[in-house]
C-alpha cells in the first residue's frame, strides 16, 4: 500500500480516544524532524457541555439539509454559499473541540497530498466534515474510512483478469430519469478506454432482487455502480427491498461499490433486523469483502449527483486512485455549486489509494530486456528424479530473480527454464543497460556458487549453466490497472531479440546487441561476435560478448572553467587541515560537472599530504542497508574487494586498535565490540554478547560512535578528504550513521564533500544549522567555457561558429550533454577525423544520410531525462507534457487554459515542484503573467 496517514477514532464510555499514525519523514513538528514512522495518541472527554454543542451543530446541519432536500418534490437549487454555513460550523467544532490539540497540529502539518484514513467505530459522525480552520480535510487530501469492527472482513478471492468488469444497476423503480442519462454518459466515457473495460447493465425491471443478488454473488465484477433509490440499510429494487444483511451474505469477489442513492452510507436509525450487527449498506458491503465503497450520508438526487458520478468515473478511468478522484470531484462540486452540500454527502470506505480502472499511460520509451536460459536441466532430472530436480530449479530461479530485483529489474516468468527481466519499466534509470549487464554477470557467478541447502545439499547441480542475452530498444509501453494491480505491458522486438541472443549464447556467456553495448561501453569491455539473424526475413543484428567490468573510467579531458569553485574548495581544505573540519554539500544537476570538479580538486591537492576516501552511492543500492557506509569503512581500514575474511578482519582490527589504548581485558572486550559493529558493515560476523543483545537503535548509535572515533583518529595523522558521491541514492541506514558523524566533523581534520543532485537536500537532516556546514552549488558552464569545452572535445582552437551553435543550442551549458552530443555526431559520421581534429564531414547528408540538426538525442541523454521524469508524480508529469506542447518557453496563462479544471487548482503547486527540481525555471513577470522555460 502507498503511504497514508491513519487517524483512529474510538468511541469509549465518556468520550473519544484518538491515535494518529503517519509515515516516515512526513511531519515536522515545531521545528523538530521526526524521522521514524511515528504516531501520537490523545483523548477527549465528552462532557455535557461539549455534547450539547455538538448536538446543536448536528441539528442545525440536519435542518439545512431538510430545507435543501425536502422529502418530497424537487430539491431547492440553493446558489447562496451561506446556506451551507452550518456544515462549516459543524466541521470546525468536530475539529477544534473533539480532536486533542497535538493531533490538530499534526494533521495541519501533514503534506497535503498524503491520503488520510479515518478508522473508527463511530460511523454516525460526519468525519469528512472535519475543518482545520482553512479548509475541510476532505477537500485537501484523499480521505477514506475504515470500519473498526469486531467482525473481520471476508477475504473473497480476487479474480484474475486484465480487463476490468463494470456492472451498472440503474433506476430499478423506473421513476428516476436522471439515472438513465447517467448510465448513457458513463457508457460514452467508457468507450474511450475499450481495452480495459467490460460493462454490463441491469436497468429498470431487469434490476430485480434475484438478478441483483446473482450478480453480487457471481464475484465477476470489479466495480458495481448503483443509481436508484435506497434507504438506510436497504436498496429499493424493481420488486422490493434488498437488505444489507442479504448483501453481506451474498457478495462474492472484491468489487468496488458506488451507491449513487440517498442515504446509502447511513446506518439504519433503529434496528429493523433486531439483533443483527449489519446496520448500514456500507458495512454490509465492506464486511462482505468489497474492496471499497462510496455511499451518501443524506439525500442526493437530481442533476448534481448524476454529474458527480460522471466526473468521478472520468478521473478513475484516467487511472487516478479513488480517494484522489473523489477529492477532485468534491472540490469541483464545492467550487461550482457553493450552496449545495452534495460534495460532502459522499463517503468513501476503504483504501483511498486503490486504483480501479484505467490505462495509466501509453508511451514510447527505451527498455532493456535480459533473457536468461538455464541449460543442463535434463541431466539433473535424470540424475536426481523429478521432485529433487524441480526443487533445485525453483531455488535457482528464485535466486536469479532476487539478483534481478537488486538491480531494479523486473523479473517476468519464469517459463520453465527461461527467466526474462525488464529494466527501465515502469521506471527508467539512467543506467538500465549497465544494470542489465551487472545482473547477468552476477547471475553467472551466483549459479557457479550455488549450493542447494538442507537435504539437497549433497546433490550437485554442477551441470547447470546460464546463457544470457540482452537487448535494448524502443517499445510502446502501456500501464494497465488490472485485478492484480498495475501491469506494465510492452510491445516491440526487444524481447525477441534478447531471447534470440540467449539462444545463441554459450554456457556462462552474455551476448548483447549494439545499442546495449553503446550504452554500457563506459563500464564494460566487449568482444565482437559477428552478426545474427533473429528471425526469417529480418535484418541481421550486430552481436557483442560481454567480457568484464572496466576498472577505471577513461581519463577525462582537462577541466575547463570552475576556477571560483576550486578556490572555495581549496579555502575549506586549508581550514579543515588546520583542525576546523568542513562539511560541504556540493550540489548540481545531473552531468553538470560535480564529479569532475572533485577530480580537479584532487589534482590540485596532489603535492600536499592528505588522505582521500571516495564512497559512491549506486542507484540500485538505495535499499541495501549500509551500502554506502561499507565503502567508507573499507576505505578507512584499507580493505579492498579481493581481501578474504581473515585479511579483512585483521585490517579492521588494526584500525580499531588505534582508538583503544592499553592491553587489558577491558581493552580486548572493546576491540571485540568494535569489530562486531564495524564487521557487520563490511560483511564479517563477529560475535560479541554486549553488542548482539542491543536493540537495533542502540546498536546503530554505538556503531556511529565507533566509526566517529576511528575517523577522528585517522584524520589526526593526515587531514582527510571524505567524498560521498551521489548522495541522492544513499541508503537510509548509512545516512543515519553519517548524519551523526557529519555533526562532529567540525572538530576533526576532515573535509567531507557530500555530492548530490538537487532532488536530495541536506536541509531535513539538520546540516544547514551547523557552523561548519558550507554549500557549493554548480551551475551550467558559462558561454565562454562551453565553447572552450567544445573546442577541447573537437581538438580545435576555436570550433566553427555554425557547428558550435548547432550543438550548444541543444545542450545548453551541461557538459555531459555536450560530450554525448559530440560523441553521437562522431558515431553517426556527421563529424569525421582529420589530423588531430574533428571536422564536419564534407557533405554530412551524403556521408551519413543525416544533417547536423537531425541527429536524434543520444540514448544516454534521453535516459537521464527519462529517469528524472519517472521520478515525478503523475500530476507533475502531466503539467510538463502540456507545457511542452506549447513550446520551449511557455506562459503561465496559456498553460492554465490547457489544463483541465481540476488540475488547474494544483497548477501552482506542480509548477513550484518542477522549478525546485530544475525541470523548468521562471523567466520573469508578475503572477499571473509569468513566463517559464524548460531547463
Ligand atoms: N568543467 C569541466 N571541464 C571539462 N569536462 C567537464 C567539466 N565538467 C564536467 N565535465 C565532463 O562532463 C561529464 C559529466 O560531468 P560529471 O560526471 O562531473 O557530472 P556530475 O555532475 O557528477 O553528474 P552526475 O550527477 O550524473 O554524477 C564528464 O565526462 C566530465 O568529465
Ligand atoms: Mg557525478
Amino acid at each position: 500500500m502507498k503511504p497514508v496517514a491513519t487517524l483512529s477514532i474510538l468511541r469509549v464510555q465518556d468520550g473519544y480516544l484518538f491515535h494518529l499514525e503517519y509515515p516516515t519523514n512526513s511531519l515536522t513538528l515545531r521545528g523538530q524532524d521526526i524521522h521514524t514512522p511515528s504516531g501520537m495518541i490523545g483523548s477527549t472527554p465528552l462532557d455535557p457541555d461539549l455534547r450539547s454543542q455538538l448536538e446543536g451543530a448536528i441539528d442545525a446541519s440536519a435542518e439545512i439539509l431538510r430545507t435543501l432536500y425536502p422529502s418530497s418534490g424537487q430539491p431547492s437549487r440553493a446558489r447562496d454559499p451561506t446556506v451551507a454555513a452550518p456544515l462549516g460550523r459543524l466541521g470546525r467544532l468536530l475539529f477544534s473541540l473533539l480532536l486533542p490539540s497535538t493531533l490538530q497540529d499534526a494533521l495541519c502539518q501533514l503534506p497535503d497530498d498524503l491520503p488520510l484514513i479515518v478508522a473508527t467505530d463511530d460511523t454516525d459522525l460526519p468525519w469528512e466534515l472535519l475543518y482545520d480552520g482553512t479548509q475541510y480535510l476532505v477537500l485537501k487530501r484523499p480521505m477514506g474510512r475504515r470500519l473498526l469492527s469486531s467482525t473481520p472482513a471476508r477475504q473473497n478471492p480476487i479474480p484474475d483478469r486484465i480487463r476490468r468488469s463494470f456492472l451498472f444497476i440503474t433506476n430499478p423503480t423506473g421513476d428516476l430519469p436522471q439515472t438513465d442519462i447517467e448510465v448513457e454518459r458513463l457508457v460514452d466515457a467508457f468507450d474511450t478506454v475499450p481495452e480495459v473495460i467490460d460493462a454490463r447493465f441491469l436497468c429498470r425491471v431487469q434490476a430485480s432482487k434475484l438478478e441483483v443478488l446473482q450478480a453480487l454473488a457471481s464475484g465477476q465484477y470489479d466495480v458495481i455502480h448503483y443509481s436508484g433509490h435506497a434507504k438506510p440499510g436497504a436498496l429499493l429494487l424493481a420488486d422490493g427491498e434488498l437488505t444489507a444483511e442479504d448483501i453481506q451474505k451474498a457478495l462474492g469477489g472484491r468489487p468496488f461499490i458506488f451507491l449513487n442513492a440517498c442515504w446509502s452510507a447511513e446506518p439504519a436509525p433503529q434496528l429493523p433486523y433486531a439483533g443483527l450487527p449489519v446496520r448500514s449498506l456500507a458495512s454490509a458491503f465492506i464486511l462482505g469483502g468489497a474492496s471499497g465503497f462510496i455511499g451518501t450520508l443524506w439525500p442526493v438526487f437530481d442533476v448534481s449527483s448524476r454529474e458527480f458520478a460522471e466526473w468521478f468515473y472520468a478521473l478513475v478511468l484516467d487511472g487516478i486512485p479513488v480517494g484522489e478522484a473523489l477529492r477532485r470531484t468534491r472540490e469541483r462540486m464545492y467550487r461550482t455549486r457553493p450552496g449545495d452540500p452534495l460534495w460532502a454527502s459522499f463517503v468513501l470506505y476503504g483504501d483511498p489509494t486503490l486504483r480501479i480502472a484505467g490505462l495509466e499511460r501509453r508511451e514510447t520509451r527505451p527498455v532493456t530486456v535480459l533473457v536468461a536460459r538455464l541449460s543442463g536441466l535434463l541431466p539433473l532430472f535424470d540424475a536426481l528424479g523429478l521432485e529433487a530436480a524441480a526443487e533445485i530449479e525453483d531455488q535457482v530461479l528464485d535466486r536469479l530473480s532476487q539478483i534481478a530485483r537488486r538491480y531494479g529489474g523486473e523479473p517476468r516468468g519464469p517459463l520453465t527454464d527461461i527467466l526474462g527481466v525488464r529494466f527501465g519499466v515502469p521506471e527508467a534509470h539512467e543506467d538500465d543497460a549497465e544494470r542489465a549487464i551487472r545482473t547477468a554477470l552476477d547471475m553467472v557467478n551466483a549459479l557457479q556458487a550455488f549450493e542447494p541447502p538442507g537435504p539437497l545439499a549433497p546433490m550437485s547441480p554442477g551441470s547447470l549453466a546460464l546463457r544470457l542475452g540482452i537487448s535494448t530498444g524502443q517499445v510502446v509501453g502501456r500501464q494497465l490497472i488490472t485485478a492484480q494491480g498495475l501491469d506494465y505491458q510492452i510491445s516491440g522486438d526487444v524481447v525477441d531479440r534478447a531471447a534470440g541472443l540467449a539462444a545463441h549464447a554459450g554456457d556462462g556467456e552474455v551476448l548483447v546487441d549494439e545499442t546495449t553495448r553503446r550504452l554500457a561501453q563506459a563500464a564494460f569491455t566487449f568482444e565482437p561476435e559477428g552478426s545474427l539473424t533473429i528471425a526469417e526475413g529480418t535484418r541481421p543484428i550486430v552481436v557483442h560478448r560481454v567480457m568484464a567490468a572496466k576498472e577505471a573510467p577513461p581519463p577525462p579531458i582537462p577541466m575547463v572553467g570552475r576556477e571560483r569553485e576550486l578556490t572555495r574548495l581549496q579555502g575549506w581544505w586549508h581550514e579543515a587541515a588546520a583542525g576546523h573540519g568542513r562539511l560541504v554539500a556540493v550540489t548540481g544537476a545531473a552531468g553538470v560537472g560535480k564529479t569532475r570538479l572533485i577530480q580537479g580538486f584532487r589534482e590540485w591537492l596532489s603535492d600536499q599530504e592528505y588522505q582521500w576516501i571516495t564512497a559512491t552511492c549506486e542507484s540500485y543500492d538505495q535499499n541495501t542497508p549500509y551500502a554506502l557506509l561499507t565503502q567508507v569503512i573499507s576505505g578507512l581500514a584499507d580493505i579492498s574487494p579481493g581481501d578474504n575474511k581473515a585479511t579483512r578482519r585483521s585490517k579492521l582490527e588494526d584500525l580499531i586498535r588505534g582508538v583503544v589504548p592499553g592491553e587489558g581485558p577491558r581493552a580486548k572486550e572493546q576491540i571485540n565490540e568494535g569489530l562486531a559493529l564495524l564487521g557487520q558493515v563490511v560483511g564479517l560476523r563477529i560475535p560479541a554478547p554486549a553488542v548482539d543483545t542491543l536493540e537495533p537503535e542502540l546498536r546503530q548509535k554505538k556503531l556511529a560512535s565507533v566509526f566517529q572515533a576511528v575517523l577522528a583518529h585517522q584524520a589526526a595523522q593526515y587531514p582527510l578528504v571524505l567524498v560521498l558521491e551521489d548522495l541522492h541514492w544513499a541508503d537510509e541506514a548509512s545516512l543515519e550513521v553519517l548524519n551523526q558523524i557529519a555533526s562532529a566533523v567540525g572538530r576533526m581534520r576532515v573535509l567531507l564533500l557530500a555530492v548530490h543532485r538537487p532532488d536530495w537536500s541536506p536541509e531535513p537532516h539538520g546540516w544547514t544549522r551547523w557552523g561548519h556546514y558550507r554549500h557549493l552549488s554548480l551551475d551550467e558552464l558559462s558561454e565562454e567555457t562551453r565553447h572552450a569545452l567544445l573546442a577541447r572535445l573537437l581538438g580545435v582552437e576555436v570550433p566553427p561558429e555554425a557547428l558550435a551553435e548547432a550543438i550548444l543550442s541543444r545542450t545548453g551549458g551541461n557538459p555531459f550533454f555536450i560530450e554525448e552530443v559530440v560523441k553521437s555526431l562522431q558515431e553517426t559520421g556527421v563529424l569525421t577525423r582529420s589530423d588531430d581534429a574533428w571536422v564536419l564531414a564534407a557533405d554530412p547528408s551524403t556521408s551519413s544520410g543525416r544533417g547536423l540538426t537531425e541527429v536524434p538525442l543520444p540514448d544516454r541523454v534521453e535516459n537521464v531525462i527519462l529517469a528524472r521524469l519517472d521520478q515525478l508524480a503523475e500530476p507533475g508529469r502531466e503539467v510538463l507534457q502540456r507545457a511542452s506542447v506549447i513550446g520551449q518557453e511557455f506562459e503561465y496563462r496559456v498553460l492554465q487554459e490547457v489544463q483541465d479544471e481540476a488540475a488547474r487548482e494544483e497548477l501552482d503547486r506542480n509548477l513550484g515542484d518542477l522549478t525546485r527540481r530544475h525541470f523548468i525555471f521562471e523567466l520573469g513577470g508578475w503572477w499571473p503573467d509569468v513566463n517559464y522555460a524548460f531547463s
Side-chain angles (χ1 to χ4, degrees):
M1 197 160 126
K2 304 254 173 60
V4 292
T6 305
L7 174 63
S8 305
I9 305 174
L10 197 64
R11 183 75 212 261
V12 290
Q13 192 74 38
D14 308 306
Y16 285 92
L17 287 182
F18 298 90
H19 178 223
L20 179 64
E21 211 184 314
Y22 36 83
T24 323
N25 287 345
S26 63
L27 187 64
T28 316
L29 270 185
R30 302 196 180 86
Q32 255 191 317
D33 298 336
I34 295 177
H35 285 296
T36 43
S38 202
M40 54 178 65
I41 55 173
S43 66
T44 306
L46 200 55
D47 57 40
D49 187 35
L50 178 56
R51 191 191 301 260
S52 77
Q53 282 194 58
L54 269 179
E55 279 166 5
I58 291 175
D59 285 349
S61 308
E63 184 55 37
I64 182 84
L65 295 175
R66 256 194 297 283
T67 43
L68 279 174
Y69 300 108
S71 53
S72 62
Q74 273 301 101
S76 72
R77 310 267 344 112
R79 296 271 164 207
D80 174 6
T82 58
V83 176
L87 289 185
R89 274 199 292 282
L90 176 57
R92 253 182 285 257
L93 220 59
L94 282 176
F95 189 84
S96 61
L97 294 185
L98 224 48
L99 287 188
S101 61
T102 45
L103 265 70
Q104 292 177 22
D105 277 3
L107 275 174
C108 291
Q109 293 196 39
L110 288 175
D112 274 356
D113 50 0
L114 183 71
L116 177 70
I117 292 179
V118 175
T120 183
D121 60 347
D122 184 345
T123 54
D124 292 356
L125 283 182
W127 301 110
E128 285 68 22
L129 292 181
L130 282 171
Y131 189 98
D132 69 3
T134 59
Q135 186 54 288
Y136 294 97
L137 292 193
V138 84
L139 291 179
K140 262 193 180 173
R141 62 179 81 252
M143 213 167 143
R145 287 187 181 195
R146 188 190 306 148
L147 283 178
L148 275 184
S149 132
S150 50
T151 334
R154 199 167 64 217
Q155 287 297 313
N156 299 335
I158 305 179
D160 178 10
R161 56 176 163 259
I162 293 219
R163 287 164 72 90
R164 314 314 309 275
S165 218
F166 280 60
L167 172 69
F168 292 94
I169 307 168
T170 352
N171 200 6
T173 46
D175 59 343
L176 295 168
Q178 284 295 336
T179 59
D180 297 334
I181 304 178
E182 177 172 321
V183 104
E184 268 169 41
R185 299 266 176 99
L186 291 178
V187 171
D188 282 350
F190 284 21
D191 262 353
T192 58
V193 279
E195 58 251 87
V196 282
I197 302 294
D198 277 328
R200 184 185 163 213
F201 302 90
L202 289 175
C203 299
R204 301 205 172 207
V205 287
Q206 293 171 324
S208 67
K209 278 162 58 173
L210 184 65
E211 282 288 335
V212 170
L213 267 180
Q214 274 177 352
L216 292 182
S218 73
Q220 217 182 317
Y221 299 102
D222 300 295
V223 177
I224 299 178
H225 180 87
Y226 176 90
S227 40
H229 287 295
K231 62 184 210 180
L235 296 175
L236 306 187
L237 296 182
D239 55 351
E241 290 184 9
L242 188 62
T243 65
E245 194 203 355
D246 292 339
I247 289 170
Q248 183 175 341
K249 276 196 228 145
L251 195 66
R254 307 287 305 279
F256 186 88
I257 309 293
F258 189 155
L259 301 186
N260 203 3
C262 310
W263 287 301
S264 54
E266 263 294 81
Q270 70 270 37
L271 293 176
Y273 323 107
L276 290 173
V278 182
R279 287 180 61 208
S280 77
L281 289 165
S283 61
F285 275 108
I286 291 296
L287 297 179
S291 61
F293 173 94
I294 294 179
T296 61
L297 290 175
W298 52 76
V300 295
F301 33 109
D302 168 276
V303 191
S304 355
S305 71
R306 191 202 79 212
E307 281 179 354
F308 196 93
E310 285 168 24
W311 295 347
F312 172 75
Y313 281 113
L315 293 168
V316 163
L317 291 183
D318 251 359
I320 294 177
V322 287
E324 176 61 11
L326 191 60
R327 189 195 68 77
R328 290 197 202 170
T329 311
R330 286 183 202 278
E331 196 177 42
R332 184 168 172 188
M333 199 48 90
Y334 177 76
R335 225 166 349 101
T336 51
R337 316 242 163 82
D340 186 344
L342 176 98
W343 62 269
S345 176
F346 289 92
V347 184
L348 166 69
Y349 280 89
D351 174 6
T353 65
L354 177 78
R355 294 174 205 253
I356 48 181
L359 190 59
E360 212 197 21
R361 43 181 147 124
R362 188 200 315 257
E363 59 201 351
T364 307
R365 60 186 298 151
V367 169
T368 300
V369 172
L370 175 154
V371 168
R373 295 180 73 104
L374 198 55
S375 69
L377 272 173
L378 276 182
L380 199 66
F381 274 92
D382 262 359
L384 302 182
L386 187 61
E387 289 270 319
E391 174 73 28
I392 289 183
E393 184 186 356
D394 280 356
Q395 288 185 9
V396 168
L397 290 171
D398 242 25
R399 179 78 196 95
L400 300 184
S401 303
Q402 270 174 20
I403 294 173
R405 280 194 210 95
R406 164 167 181 225
Y407 289 105
E410 191 199 15
R412 289 269 170 156
L415 264 180
T416 62
D417 54 348
I418 297 181
L419 183 71
V421 186
R422 318 187 307 184
F423 294 85
V425 287
E427 218 175 76
H429 311 97
E430 57 194 60
D431 51 356
D432 279 311
E434 282 180 24
R435 286 168 180 240
I437 295 178
R438 274 182 221 289
T439 306
L441 295 179
D442 274 16
M443 282 179 167
V444 172
N445 289 337
L447 187 66
Q448 270 164 12
F450 180 79
E451 286 168 17
L456 294 173
M459 306 177 182
S460 154
S463 64
L464 289 180
L466 272 178
R467 304 169 168 197
L468 298 119
I470 300 174
S471 166
T472 304
Q474 295 284 342
V475 298
V476 174
R478 284 141 74 238
Q479 178 132 296
L480 301 180
I481 288 151
T482 75
Q484 258 61 42
L486 290 179
D487 185 52
Y488 198 95
Q489 302 187 331
I490 59 174
S491 21
D493 51 4
V494 267
V495 181
D496 292 332
R497 245 182 303 154
L501 288 165
H504 193 69
D507 283 354
E509 241 178 27
V510 186
L511 296 186
V512 306
D513 61 2
E514 173 56 23
T515 313
T516 309
R517 183 202 63 85
R518 196 178 58 244
L519 288 169
Q521 61 185 349
F524 297 93
T525 50
F526 300 88
E527 289 264 289
E529 270 283 305
S531 64
L532 176 68
T533 307
I534 299 287
E536 277 304 303
T538 59
R539 269 192 297 169
I541 61 169
V542 178
V543 182
H544 304 268
R545 185 151 44 94
V546 179
M547 301 305 290
K550 277 189 185 168
E551 283 297 316
I557 59 160
M559 188 157 85
V560 298
R562 302 296 187 210
E563 291 84 6
R564 197 181 54 89
E565 288 85 354
L566 261 182
T567 312
R568 297 184 70 195
L569 283 177
Q570 291 160 0
W572 293 324
W573 159 256
H574 288 305
E575 291 169 0
H580 306 292
R582 295 287 173 250
L583 164 65
V584 184
V586 180
T587 157
V592 82
K594 303 179 290 296
T595 305
R596 187 67 189 85
L597 173 69
I598 308 281
Q599 283 169 351
F601 170 60
R602 190 170 187 177
E603 287 154 22
W604 170 81
L605 211 57
S606 60
D607 56 353
Q608 319 210 10
E609 285 191 321
Y610 72 99
Q611 306 176 70
W612 186 285
I613 296 173
T614 302
T616 306
C617 307
E618 301 291 350
S619 60
Y620 46 80
D621 268 341
Q622 246 168 326
N623 297 321
T624 311
Y626 295 131
L628 174 61
L629 198 62
T630 306
Q631 298 177 53
V632 181
I633 292 179
S634 300
L636 277 173
D638 196 24
I639 293 175
S640 42
D643 288 347
N644 63 22
K645 281 193 177 167
T647 319
R648 266 185 280 167
R649 187 188 166 120
S650 84
K651 286 183 172 176
L652 208 54
E653 200 167 331
D654 290 346
L655 182 71
I656 296 166
R657 211 172 272 286
V659 295
V660 181
E663 285 292 330
R666 177 69 197 128
K668 261 213 170 99
E669 203 177 300
Q670 276 189 326
I671 289 176
N672 200 48
E673 279 177 26
L675 270 176
L677 288 160
L678 299 186
Q680 150 208 356
V681 179
V682 294
L684 289 175
R685 265 209 54 76
I686 297 162
V691 171
D692 297 342
T693 50
L694 284 179
E695 296 281 320
E697 227 166 281
L698 285 179
R699 196 185 161 100
Q700 193 175 59
K701 254 206 160 90
K702 221 173 159 114
L703 165 64
S705 75
V706 175
F707 173 42
Q708 181 175 330
V710 294
L711 182 68
H713 178 75
Q714 200 79 353
Q717 302 163 26
Y718 292 110
L720 187 152
V721 183
L722 175 56
V723 185
L724 305 179
E725 266 278 8
D726 296 334
L727 217 50
H728 43 275
W729 288 322
D731 62 279
E732 201 60 40
S734 295
L735 266 186
E736 278 165 16
V737 172
L738 286 165
N739 268 328
Q740 293 184 47
I741 279 66
S743 70
V745 290
R747 297 185 301 276
M748 302 180 200
R749 296 172 76 197
V750 169
L751 177 62
L752 200 166
L753 302 176
V755 184
H756 64 91
R757 297 184 187 164
D759 44 11
W760 187 85
S761 162
E763 186 107 30
H765 301 281
W767 293 11
T768 45
R769 294 200 302 265
W770 300 327
H772 60 284
Y773 170 79
R774 299 290 182 274
H775 180 82
L776 183 62
S777 174
L778 257 67
D779 290 328
E780 298 202 323
L781 297 178
S782 66
E783 279 294 332
E784 202 182 319
T785 40
R786 288 172 205 189
H787 279 86
L789 175 63
L790 192 57
R792 288 198 179 165
L793 288 171
L794 297 173
V796 296
E797 279 294 315
V798 181
E801 193 51 46
L803 182 59
E805 166 62 24
I807 293 176
L808 296 178
S809 69
R810 300 179 70 187
T811 56
N814 185 306
F816 171 73
F817 290 0
I818 297 174
E819 278 184 354
E820 289 296 320
V821 169
V822 168
K823 254 192 243 164
S824 87
L825 292 176
Q826 291 165 344
E827 280 168 10
T828 48
V830 179
L831 291 174
T832 53
R833 208 165 168 89
S834 145
D835 296 333
D836 279 343
W838 288 89
V839 294
L840 266 178
D843 181 357
S845 58
T846 51
S847 73
S848 73
R850 280 193 273 212
L852 195 51
T853 48
E854 290 158 36
V855 172
L857 210 56
D859 303 334
R860 271 161 50 96
V861 174
E862 188 186 353
N863 286 347
V864 169
I865 295 172
L866 251 185
R868 287 176 66 207
L869 278 178
D870 284 346
Q871 294 300 314
L872 277 180
E874 199 53 45
R877 198 201 300 256
E878 254 172 61
V879 169
L880 216 54
Q881 209 164 34
R882 281 174 212 234
S884 69
V885 175
I886 305 174
Q888 169 66 25
E889 290 177 13
F890 57 93
E891 288 169 37
Y892 177 78
R893 278 181 186 283
V894 178
L895 188 58
Q896 218 181 11
E897 285 309 308
V898 298
Q899 294 293 311
D900 71 42
E901 211 173 330
R904 222 175 281 171
E905 297 287 304
E906 284 156 28
L907 187 58
D908 288 345
R909 180 160 25 128
N910 287 324
L911 285 175
D913 191 42
L914 290 172
T915 314
R916 198 170 49 75
R917 289 164 181 254
H918 295 249
F919 280 101
I920 55 173
F921 57 92
E922 250 187 73
L923 284 173
W926 285 352
W927 190 89
D929 293 309
V930 200
N931 292 343
Y932 289 91
F934 284 95
S935 308

